[in-house]
């Protein structure tokens, strides 16, 4: 007799009398394992395993599985970070050459600077598994062995990232194998150093403005990185590549100074001075000041014996030692000397006195402040200053400009659904004006704006009649008069109305903090004061037949 074949009940079913979970069939009748007859069951010819499965079958659609990229760690993660920085740098150079008309050899200059920057890092040799020691070997074309970064994609555990700063001027890894890695702001600094080598009259303020307006790849550099590379990048380097919403004033200046010192220490490389003449002319024009200021700046430059090159260490670096800070400080000091900002009348003593013109500073303030309200939309590069209260009061055009900036800055390709939900309320709406068309006319508008400002200022300038000094030059003067002194302001609270506007506009123009400009101008004024004292002492001692020392006093 064949053994009885038992079957399991379907899920959730059992015998009503004994609760058994198995049954068997006999003479077309079904019984539970304990012999109780089961009501409502009938014999089927089909396979019992397929019992109850006939009819329409609906299946739940499975969501596609997201592939999670493996995060690189250690030296491999660092190399990927360097490759990403290099990609950002290549895009910046490409934009400068194609859009700004930089010379074609500018790319080779920046490439050489980048090669030197990563030369001392223990990078993988041409995709092989071995790494070279820092500073060893060069390729036949003169570039360091780190050229693998320019063509290869490297892929494995070490310490946390160590980004270089002013306290780590040497780039060779230390005893704990920590790499001295560059930062994102160093890409802009390298482009600026390329301008120094090529003698191009570009300033750090220009690079800050291009980055802030979203023209050069910087603020949104993380969004432009290929998705597969971004997913494999360690989290700490994500934070390094994420910029809030603007470049703090003076940040790029500090990065350039750090690189200049580091290139000197690591490779004994020095950079040429600024091509300062076009820069000074641009500063004067942007501030709507008379061109006579340029001659005064030239005289002060000869007095201070400056060459407008970046210091390379060896002594304490003062604020005025930065060439761009020195340039804008000289512009401000020259304006103070020729056109007093403190309200004290200082008439010229002869027709050749450069103080024979008088600026109406009240009119100048009005013209410069009206300039900020001439555009109907948001000023490019200043969107980050918008507050929630400002958004509520914006008109349609300004709100469109702000939303364009918001989309470009904060909506990447991380979650397309999120981006679609944000864009949905604005779909189907037409812009009242084309931003690209406005950008094409921006330079013509700026030139016309400067012309209009100068016309307004020139109409308010007065020519002063000279007033000879009533004192006999051969006699000792009994006392100093207020017009004999030039005020020195050392804090923002000391600045009078017109001076505060001038200093603020100049600091914004040079992309430096206002306190930095005040400190730099005060240092320039102190150096000129020392020169005047020494000159007067020299003339007095010459009259007495004494030998005098005429050495350099630049360290005072």
């Amino acid at each position: 007799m064949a053994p009885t074949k038992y079957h399991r009940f379907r899920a959730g079913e059992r015998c009503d009398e004994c609760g058994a979970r198995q049954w068997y069939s006999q003479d077309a009748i079904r019984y539970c394992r304990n012999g109780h007859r089961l009501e409502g069951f009938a014999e089927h010819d089909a396979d019992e395993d397929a019992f109850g499965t006939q009819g329409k079958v609906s299946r739940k659609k499975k969501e596609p599985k997201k592939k999670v990229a493996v995060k690189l760690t250690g030296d491999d993660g660092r190399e990927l970070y360097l490759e990403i920085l290099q990609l950002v740098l290549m895009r910046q150079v490409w934009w400068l050459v194609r859009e700004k008309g930089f010379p074609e050899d500018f790319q080779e200059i920046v490439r050489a600077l980048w090669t030197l920057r990563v030369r001392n890092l223990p990078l993988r040799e041409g995709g092989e598994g071995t790494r070279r020691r820092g500073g060893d070997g060069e390729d036949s074309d003169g570039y360091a062995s780190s050229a693998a970064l320019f063509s290869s994609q490297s892929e494995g555990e070490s310490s946390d990232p160590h980004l270089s700063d002013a306290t780590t001027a040497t780039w060779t890894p230390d005893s704990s194998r920590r790499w001295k890695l560059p930062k994102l702001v160093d890409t802009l600094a390298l482009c600026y150093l390329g301008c120094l080598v090529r003698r191009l009259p570009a300033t750090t303020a220009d690079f800050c403005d291009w980055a802030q307006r979203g023209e050069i790849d910087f603020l949104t550099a993380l969004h432009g990185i290929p998705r597969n590379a971004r997913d494999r990048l360690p989290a700490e380097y994500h934070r390094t590549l994420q910029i809030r919403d603007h470049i703090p004033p003076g940040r790029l200046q500090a990065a350039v100074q750090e690189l200049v010192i580091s290139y000197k220490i690591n490779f004994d490389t020095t950079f040429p001075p600024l091509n300062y003449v076009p820069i000074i002319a641009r500063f004067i024009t942007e501030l709507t000041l008379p061109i006579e200021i340029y001659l005064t700046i030239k005289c002060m430059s000869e007095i201070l014996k400056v060459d407008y090159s970046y210091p390379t260490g060896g002594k304490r670096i003062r604020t005025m030692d930065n060439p761009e800070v020195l340039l804008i400080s000289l512009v401000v000091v020259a304006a103070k000397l020729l056109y007093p900002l403190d309200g004290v009348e200082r008439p010229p003593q002869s027709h050749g006195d450069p103080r024979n013109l008088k600026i109406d500073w009240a009119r100048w303030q009005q013209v410069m402040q009206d300039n900020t309200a001439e555009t109907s939309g948001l000023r490019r590069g200043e969107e980050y200053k918008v507050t929630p209260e400002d958004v509520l009061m914006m008109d349609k055009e300004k709100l469109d400009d702000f939303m364009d900036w918001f989309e470009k800055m904060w909506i990447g390709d991380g979650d397309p659904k999120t981006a679609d939900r944000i864009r949905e309320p604005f779909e189907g709406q037409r812009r009242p004006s084309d931003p690209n068309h406005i950008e094409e006319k921006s330079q013509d508008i700026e030139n016309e704006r400067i012309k209009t400002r100068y016309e307004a200022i020139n109409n308010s300038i007065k020519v002063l009649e000279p007033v000879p000094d009533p004192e006999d030059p051969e006699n000792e003067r009994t006392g100093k008069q207020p017009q004999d002194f030039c005020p020195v302001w050392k804090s923002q609270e000391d600045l009078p109305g017109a001076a505060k506007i001038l200093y603020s506009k100049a600091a914004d123009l040079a992309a430096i903090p206002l306190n930095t400009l005040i400190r730099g101008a005060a240092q320039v004024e102190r150096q000129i004061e020392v020169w005047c004292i020494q000159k007067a002492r020299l003339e007095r001692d010459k009259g007495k037949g004494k030998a005098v020392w005429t050495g350099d006093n630049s360290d005072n």
Side-chain angles (χ1 to χ4, degrees):
M1 182 177 180
T4 304
K5 183 177 180 182
Y6 294 98
H7 308 274
R8 295 187 64 84
F9 282 92
R10 289 181 297 184
E13 295 182 358
R14 63 179 64 192
C15 178
D16 295 335
E17 297 188 27
C18 64
R21 295 180 179 274
Q22 293 180 330
W23 56 272
Y24 64 92
S25 177
Q26 183 178 343
D27 300 332
I29 299 175
R30 298 191 178 191
Y31 302 89
C32 74
R33 188 181 183 90
N34 296 326
H36 301 109
R37 182 172 176 176
L38 301 177
E39 301 293 339
F41 283 94
E43 188 71 40
H44 295 275
D45 294 335
D47 184 14
E48 294 177 355
D49 292 335
F51 178 72
T53 61
Q54 302 297 322
K56 183 178 180 181
V57 177
S58 60
R59 294 180 176 84
K60 183 179 180 180
K61 186 178 182 180
K62 295 182 179 180
E63 295 183 0
K65 294 183 179 181
K66 294 182 179 180
K67 295 182 180 180
V68 180
V70 178
K71 297 287 185 181
L72 298 181
T73 59
D75 292 345
D76 291 328
R78 297 185 184 98
E79 287 199 10
L80 178 60
Y81 169 72
L82 288 175
E83 291 174 1
I84 289 174
L85 276 189
Q86 179 184 283
L87 175 62
V88 174
L89 181 61
M90 291 171 58
R91 289 176 174 174
Q92 292 172 350
V93 172
W94 182 90
W95 182 84
L96 291 171
V97 173
R98 298 288 179 256
E99 301 297 329
K100 289 300 178 180
F102 280 30
E104 291 293 336
D105 60 349
F106 180 77
Q107 181 175 356
E108 292 301 320
I109 294 173
V110 177
R111 175 187 170 115
L113 293 173
W114 172 257
T115 301
L116 289 177
R117 177 60 185 89
V118 300
R119 183 179 184 178
N120 288 340
L121 300 179
L123 303 174
R124 195 187 306 274
E125 291 280 8
E128 299 174 0
T130 59
R131 300 181 184 275
R132 63 174 173 86
R133 299 180 59 183
D136 293 342
E138 288 192 358
D139 291 339
S140 58
D141 62 353
Y143 290 108
S145 299
S146 56
L149 276 178
F150 289 90
S151 59
S152 63
Q153 295 288 335
S154 59
E155 296 187 23
E157 350 188 49
S158 189
S159 57
D160 294 334
H162 186 74
L163 302 178
S164 64
D165 53 29
T167 62
T168 57
T170 177
W171 293 325
T172 304
D174 55 23
S175 56
S176 61
R177 295 184 66 250
R178 293 186 302 176
W179 293 20
K180 308 305 190 320
L181 298 174
K183 295 163 284 191
L184 181 60
V185 70
D186 291 338
T187 59
L188 290 180
L190 286 171
C191 292
Y192 175 78
L193 292 180
C195 293
L196 287 184
V197 174
R198 199 58 176 76
R199 304 285 290 160
L200 300 176
T203 65
T204 54
D206 293 329
F207 282 92
C208 289
D209 183 57
W210 295 332
Q212 205 62 59
R213 293 162 63 93
E215 296 175 359
I216 193 171
D217 194 18
F218 182 75
L219 293 180
T220 59
L222 190 62
H223 298 333
I225 299 170
R227 182 66 178 271
N228 59 342
R230 189 168 68 242
D231 290 345
R232 298 164 66 198
L233 189 67
E236 56 266 27
Y237 298 115
H238 273 270
R239 293 191 296 270
T240 303
L241 294 171
Q242 285 178 334
I243 308 298
R244 294 177 61 87
D245 51 16
H246 71 287
I247 304 175
R251 179 67 188 92
L252 183 55
Q253 287 272 12
V256 170
Q257 183 63 75
E258 293 169 13
L259 283 179
V260 169
I261 295 175
S262 297
Y263 275 110
K264 177 63 176 178
I265 292 176
N266 289 274
F267 307 107
D268 196 23
T269 300
T270 56
F271 292 88
L274 296 181
N275 186 4
Y276 65 92
V277 174
I279 298 176
I280 292 179
R282 183 144 53 97
F283 283 166
I284 295 174
T285 304
E286 291 289 342
L287 293 173
T288 321
L289 297 173
I291 197 61
E292 287 78 6
I293 285 180
Y294 177 75
L295 298 178
T296 305
I297 294 174
K298 290 285 289 183
C299 293
M300 289 192 293
S301 299
E302 295 177 0
I303 292 173
L304 299 177
K305 297 181 175 63
V306 295
D307 63 349
Y308 300 106
S309 60
Y310 277 88
T312 56
K315 63 178 182 179
R316 182 176 61 88
I317 299 178
R318 302 166 299 180
T319 302
M320 64 171 287
D321 290 333
N322 184 294
E324 289 195 4
V325 176
L326 176 60
L327 279 178
I328 195 65
S329 298
L330 289 174
V331 171
V332 171
V333 172
K336 286 176 59 178
L337 293 175
L338 297 184
Y339 317 106
L341 291 158
D342 56 353
V344 178
E345 294 291 339
R346 297 179 177 85
Q349 298 180 4
S350 65
H351 289 286
D353 195 324
R355 296 175 297 177
N356 58 357
L357 297 180
K358 180 181 179 181
I359 292 181
D360 185 352
W361 286 109
R363 177 58 177 159
W364 181 89
Q365 292 183 67
Q366 180 183 359
V367 170
M368 297 301 289
Q369 290 176 347
D370 290 346
N371 177 52
T372 60
E374 289 179 1
T375 56
S376 57
L378 282 179
R379 291 179 62 88
R380 293 281 304 277
E382 297 184 0
E383 295 89 349
Y384 70 95
K385 298 180 181 179
V386 173
T387 64
E389 292 76 14
D390 296 334
V391 173
L392 295 177
M393 303 299 294
M394 282 181 180
D395 57 24
K396 183 178 179 61
E397 185 173 356
K398 289 185 176 181
L399 187 59
D400 285 336
D401 293 338
F402 180 73
M403 294 305 298
D404 288 342
W405 171 82
F406 184 88
E407 178 181 4
K408 186 175 183 179
M409 280 291 300
W410 305 112
I411 302 180
D413 59 350
D415 187 359
K417 294 183 179 179
T418 302
D420 291 341
R421 285 195 294 268
I422 295 178
R423 293 190 186 97
E424 184 177 355
F426 305 97
E427 293 291 339
Q429 301 185 18
R430 296 184 60 185
R431 291 293 306 271
S433 60
D434 184 5
N436 296 328
H437 183 63
I438 295 177
E439 186 65 26
E440 294 175 359
K441 295 185 177 181
S442 60
Q443 188 60 44
D444 296 336
I445 294 176
E446 183 63 23
N447 294 337
E448 186 64 28
R449 184 180 302 161
I450 293 175
K451 179 181 178 182
T452 303
R453 291 204 307 251
Y454 264 106
E455 290 176 351
I457 295 299
N458 290 338
N459 292 333
S460 65
I461 289 181
K462 297 180 180 179
V463 179
L464 301 179
E465 290 295 328
V467 179
D469 190 351
E471 299 286 345
D472 187 355
E474 296 182 356
N475 297 332
E476 295 279 343
R477 297 191 63 172
T478 57
K480 294 289 185 180
Q481 302 299 320
Q483 59 267 23
D484 296 327
F485 298 95
C486 181
V488 177
W489 301 306
K490 295 186 177 182
S491 66
Q492 299 185 34
E493 292 74 19
D494 297 339
L495 297 174
K500 191 167 187 177
I501 299 297
L502 175 62
Y503 274 67
S504 299
K505 294 288 185 182
D508 292 341
L509 184 60
I512 59 175
L514 178 57
N515 289 331
T516 300
L517 176 57
I518 295 175
R519 187 163 56 250
Q523 292 175 359
V524 170
E525 291 166 340
R526 173 57 183 165
Q527 292 297 304
I528 295 176
E529 179 186 6
V530 170
W531 178 82
C532 292
I533 294 174
Q534 291 179 349
K535 182 180 179 182
R537 184 183 303 164
L538 175 62
E539 293 178 352
R540 185 170 61 251
D541 291 342
K542 280 184 176 179
K544 298 178 181 179
K546 293 183 179 180
V548 294
W549 177 69
T550 59
D552 184 15
N553 294 276
S554 59
D555 292 337
N556 291 335

